[in-house]
Amino acid sequence: MDDATRIPIPAPYTGPNVTGGLAEIFIQDGFANDDPRLWVPLSPGRWSRPLCLNVSQGYWVHLTKVQGGGFLSRHKHPAPVHGFVIKGSWRYLEHDWVAGPGSYLFEPPGEIHTLVVDEDCDEMITLFHNTGALIYCDENGKTTGTTDVFDRIDACRVHFKNVGLGADYVENFIR
Ligand code: FE
């Protein structure tokens, strides 16, 4: 584009902001390549990296990482989930597709599924936007346990304290 047709970048907004508005969350490196302590272990070979833990609307946005294959227990959602695959591949036992880098997924409320990462996948990383809860259930759909944003916050507090970041480090992600 030559200079005659280039539209100049506008001036930044410097006026007042809304009353009661929250601070943005900006995470330069969501993969936390410089500090693996930001990955909160879920179980051997599985981690969750918090990005936004939203206590006023009951959702959490995070990266799920699985190394060496494995699964996430069968569960149901009472509210929608959005997923976007960044690395590796995985599938649900209940569907016939395989998600890979660039795949987007909407999980409708009420669906029950079991996420599997096959052993030939060294590492999978997927961004999930979970609302409400994961409701773990048995093969008949009967509830066996739950996890929500408040459970995630508690788990982060324990982990961040144990790795020396301090329990309050989780506040960086809470809105
Ligand atoms: Fe799910």
Side-chain angles (χ1 to χ4, degrees):
M1 191 183 297
D2 60 45
D3 287 349
T5 56
R6 188 185 301 275
I7 299 172
I9 294 173
Y13 176 71
T14 57
N17 287 313
V18 295
T19 302
L22 302 175
E24 90 280 22
I25 297 175
F26 174 73
I27 295 170
Q28 184 75 54
D29 175 17
F31 301 128
N33 288 322
D34 292 338
D35 192 351
R37 295 178 300 173
L38 297 175
W39 288 94
V40 181
L42 298 169
S43 62
R46 289 178 44 208
W47 296 262
S48 171
R49 197 287 196 223
L51 300 173
C52 178
L53 303 166
N54 194 290
V55 295
S56 59
Q57 296 188 56
Y59 69 79
W60 68 109
V61 182
H62 65 122
L63 297 177
T64 292
K65 179 164 73 178
V66 177
Q67 290 180 343
F71 67 93
L72 274 64
S73 298
R74 181 192 308 110
H75 61 270
K76 177 165 69 177
H77 300 280
V81 176
H82 302 272
F84 189 85
V85 183
I86 293 166
K87 182 180 181 185
S89 63
W90 56 267
R91 59 194 172 86
Y92 282 133
L93 294 180
E94 295 80 7
H95 291 288
D96 59 6
W97 44 257
V98 177
S103 295
Y104 164 78
L105 171 67
F106 167 72
E107 300 180 9
E111 182 177 293
I112 294 177
H113 47 225
T114 314
L115 191 158
V116 172
V117 183
D118 289 309
E119 284 180 13
D120 59 359
C121 176
D122 294 336
E123 179 176 85
M124 89 75 152
I125 297 177
T126 298
L127 184 147
F128 282 111
H129 179 305
N130 287 72
T131 298
L134 268 73
I135 302 172
Y136 298 104
C137 49
D138 66 15
E139 63 276 17
N140 297 313
K142 188 167 180 292
T143 299
T144 57
T146 66
T147 192
D148 62 15
V149 64
F150 302 103
D151 295 318
R152 296 312 311 148
I153 289 170
D154 288 346
C156 287
R157 291 185 68 82
V158 170
H159 171 72
F160 290 147
K161 181 172 184 284
N162 288 343
V163 296
L165 289 166
D168 287 348
Y169 192 82
V170 72
E171 305 286 344
N172 289 305
F173 313 112
I174 297 175
R175 291 296 185 273

